[in-house]
Amino acid sequence: QWQLVESGGGLVQPGGSLRLSCAPSGWTLEYYAIAWFRQAPGKEREEVSCIDSSGSNMQYADSVKGRFTISRDDAKNTVYLQMNNLKPEDTAVYYCAAHSRYCSAYMVRYNYWGQGTQVTVSS
């Protein structure tokens, strides 16, 4: 089973920051684009950000532009999502997922997923 593991979630006050990590179990991310998705209770899962395998292309949802930064460190076999100026509406379970080489516009094409990490933004 090809598995991804997310970490770094938690409870933070509005305006605070969190850094999420996405790492594989027993395989390398070198040749994969990695996307972050999030899903709040009762809402559709949405793509937050994506970075291609080379790290040269990065995409962000309009709702997080200027606040979130995606990056990858292939030497550490990890992709990060730095989340700054967090808002209550950012509260969700955050998932990372892998797609071969390039970011995909279609969520269903991401075949390798983590189990998610909870991010709660609240006073």
Side-chain angles (χ1 to χ4, degrees), residues 29-34 51-56 72 74 100-103:
L29 297 178
E30 182 179 3
Y31 301 110
Y32 291 89
I34 301 296
I51 186 167
D52 69 5
S53 63
S54 71
S56 62
R72 65 188 302 145
D74 287 338
S100 182
R101 294 287 182 181
Y102 306 105
C103 296

Side-chain angles (χ1 to χ4, degrees), residues 22 33-37 47 49-51 70 95-99 103 110:
C22 174
I34 301 296
W36 287 95
F37 297 83
E47 183 175 334
S49 186
C50 184
I51 186 167
I70 192 169
Y95 302 88
C96 64
H99 180 272
C103 296
Y110 287 86

Side-chain angles (χ1 to χ4, degrees), residues 22-100:
C22 174
S25 295
W27 54 288
T28 180
L29 297 178
E30 182 179 3
Y31 301 110
Y32 291 89
I34 301 296
W36 287 95
F37 297 83
R38 67 185 182 187
Q39 188 166 23
K43 296 185 178 180
E44 300 257 353
R45 187 173 297 183
E46 62 175 339
E47 183 175 334
V48 175
S49 186
C50 184
I51 186 167
D52 69 5
S53 63
S54 71
S56 62
N57 182 47
M58 291 160 282
Q59 300 173 356
Y60 299 94
D62 288 342
S63 59
V64 306
K65 285 181 179 177
R67 300 188 297 119
F68 290 11
T69 303
I70 192 169
S71 63
R72 65 188 302 145
D73 187 340
D74 287 338
K76 295 182 178 179
N77 203 21
T78 302
V79 170
Y80 304 98
L81 184 67
Q82 178 68 45
M83 305 186 295
N84 297 327
N85 192 24
L86 283 161
K87 303 175 180 180
E89 49 264 44
D90 295 318
T91 296
V93 177
Y94 284 71
Y95 302 88
C96 64
H99 180 272
S100 182

